[in-house]
Amino acid sequence: TQTTRPQRILAAVQKNATRGDPRSVVKAIDQFCRHKEWAMNVGDEKGCILDSVVTEVNPATVLELGTYCGYSTVRIASLLPSHAKLITLEFDPGNAAIARQVIAWAGLADKIQLVEGASGDWIPKLKEKFGIETFDLVFLDHWKDRYLPDTKLMEECGLLRKGSILLADNVICPGTPDYLEYIRNSPRYKSQYFKSHLEYTKAEDGLEKSVFLG
Ligand SMILES: Cc1cc(C(=O)N2CCN(C)CC2)sc1-c1cc(O)c2nc[nH]c(=O)c2c1
Ligand SMILES: [Mg+2]
């Protein structure tokens, strides 16, 4: 019977990466997706921009919207200080099952809380469920039509503080025009576009980094 793409990604990690070595997990996925089968990980080029933002922010609390196979989850968590916590939301149960195993292979399960379900349902529950006050960093990488409503929801739920950073993937390809229009014109945010390329391709894409001003 046919395997899924996430299952083939996990197999590549288990074959080529070293247990407990997050960077080898990231490298194994990038090798597989560049040379064997494209997949929608943030990838190495945009991943380097992600790394620099994570390192600069040095967040104690991170929210990732969209786990997929856990590539960016592992990439972010590998750069966090010891006490820091990352919550990642994934809608698709199949993706979540694979991501849990990728995260375990990387040895990062104790830093990461993977929550299965719709971001719109879970965002209002995060404070009570996880004892979170606010997020220092949010990585938006789930579904282009949810970036704007979920950002408004995070504002309404008091999950952002003065200085919280939003980093959004795919603002060009597939593109999130309503989110960009809102975030670039709102007096409550200061935004900056990091031009890059769609993972493993020559097509333009980029990350939008926005600081919440309170
Ligand atoms: C599924 C998909 C197809 C794309 C594309 O243009 N393609 C042409 C070029 N070929 C090679 C690949 C396919 S881009 C993209 C995509 C990329 C992300 O990083 C995403 N991140 C989060 N959530 C998404 O839904 C998401 C979709
Ligand atoms: Mg993406």
Side-chain angles (χ1 to χ4, degrees):
T1 53
Q2 180 61 15
T3 59
T4 66
R5 184 168 303 179
Q7 283 170 333
R8 296 192 289 273
I9 289 171
L10 173 61
V13 165
Q14 293 171 334
K15 178 166 179 274
N16 302 309
T18 308
R19 276 181 190 277
D21 177 356
R23 302 314 294 180
S24 75
V25 168
V26 166
K27 192 152 214 53
I29 296 174
D30 280 330
Q31 287 287 99
F32 179 78
C33 293
R34 183 171 293 284
H35 301 298
K36 294 286 187 335
E37 188 175 1
W38 186 91
M40 60 178 172
N41 318 116
V42 73
D44 204 34
E45 189 180 321
K46 289 187 288 178
C48 286
I49 301 167
L50 172 62
D51 291 353
S52 61
V53 171
V54 174
T55 308
E56 174 202 344
V57 176
N58 198 36
T61 54
V62 183
L63 176 63
E64 175 180 63
L65 301 178
T67 315
Y68 187 44
C69 296
Y71 172 93
S72 50
T73 323
V74 163
R75 193 155 185 148
I76 294 167
S78 73
L79 297 173
L80 295 182
S82 58
H83 61 282
K85 285 283 169 212
L86 187 160
I87 296 175
T88 183
L89 306 187
E90 175 54 48
F91 176 74
D92 180 289
N95 292 349
I98 296 299
R100 291 187 198 284
Q101 296 173 79
V102 169
I103 289 162
W105 195 271
L108 291 169
D110 61 339
K111 278 187 180 306
I112 295 161
Q113 183 79 30
L114 195 162
V115 180
E116 273 180 60
S119 52
D121 298 339
W122 271 104
I123 285 170
K125 297 176 185 162
L126 294 176
K127 279 192 185 239
E128 63 178 307
K129 173 97 180 158
F130 298 104
I132 292 274
E133 280 298 301
T134 56
F135 288 104
D136 301 324
L137 172 66
V138 181
F139 181 49
L140 295 91
D141 191 26
H142 52 336
W143 179 240
K144 58 187 170 51
D145 297 343
R146 291 298 316 174
Y147 283 30
L148 182 53
D150 285 348
T151 296
K152 289 180 173 174
L153 196 51
M154 288 188 285
E155 289 173 15
E156 287 151 20
C157 296
L159 286 168
L160 305 177
R161 54 137 175 107
K162 191 174 167 46
S164 290
I165 302 290
L166 303 188
L167 187 65
D169 190 27
N170 310 115
V171 296
I172 303 299
C173 176
T176 59
D178 61 341
Y179 173 79
L180 279 188
E181 207 269 335
Y182 174 79
I183 208 92
R184 289 176 172 172
N185 296 303
S186 167
R188 303 186 75 186
Y189 294 91
K190 180 87 189 77
S191 290
Q192 187 181 3
Y193 175 61
F194 291 82
K195 184 174 179 176
S196 186
H197 295 94
L198 177 68
E199 48 267 25
Y200 319 116
T201 79
K202 292 186 167 63
E204 181 180 347
D205 189 21
L207 300 174
E208 187 81 358
K209 178 188 172 196
S210 307
V211 187
F212 185 60
L213 302 173

